[in-house]
């Protein structure tokens, strides 16, 4: 019997070619290749807005999310949901601003 987590790892579903490209490129830049970073990068790759503003959302050098991005002008209702979901998966709960 195979593990659900292992099965999910083999069948990553991307919403577009841009999403897939973003995932594999940014996964190389994050500090660790663990499930938390994979979830963060996957989620932030869903939206064109979050892909475009990745450096406003996540600090690749420190490994910290930038909660102040939740108040930036480029955010839309959809991108806010994506960022909050990514933060929730990465930090085990959305960090406070």
């Amino acid at each position: 019997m195979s593990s659900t987590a292992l099965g999910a790892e083999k069948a990553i579903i991307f919403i577009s070619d841009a999403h897939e490209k973003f995932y594999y490129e940014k996964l190389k830049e994050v500090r660790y290749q663990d499930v938390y970073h994979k979830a963060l990068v996957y989620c932030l790759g869903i939206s064109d807005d979050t892909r475009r503003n990745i450096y406003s959302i996540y600090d690749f050098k420190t490994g910290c999310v930038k909660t102040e991005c939740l108040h930036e002008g480029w955010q839309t209702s959809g991108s806010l949901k994506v960022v909050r979901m990514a933060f929730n998966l990465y930090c085990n709960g959305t960090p406070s601003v």
Side-chain angles (χ1 to χ4, degrees), residues 9-53:
E9 182 73 25
K10 293 178 185 176
I12 299 174
I13 299 171
F14 298 96
I15 62 168
S16 66
D17 290 338
H19 182 207
E20 183 175 11
K21 181 180 176 189
F22 176 90
Y23 177 78
Y24 289 113
E25 285 178 0
K26 297 305 175 196
L27 199 56
K28 293 176 189 174
E29 295 180 37
V30 295
R31 300 177 84 192
Y32 304 104
Q33 301 290 307
D34 59 13
V35 294
Y36 301 103
H37 286 84
K38 288 179 180 181
L40 177 77
V41 173
Y42 180 87
C43 291
L44 295 178
I46 291 172
S47 164
D48 186 45
D49 291 323
T50 54
R51 285 194 302 267
R52 210 176 19 253
N53 293 286

Side-chain angles (χ1 to χ4, degrees), residues 63-91:
C64 296
V65 293
K66 299 179 178 181
T67 56
E68 61 272 12
C69 75
L70 296 170
H71 299 291
E72 292 183 0
W74 60 266
Q75 290 278 17
T76 64
S77 61
S79 67
L80 281 170
K81 290 175 185 174
V82 169
V83 170
R84 288 183 188 278
M85 177 176 60
F87 285 0
N88 188 18
L89 292 170
Y90 184 67
C91 301

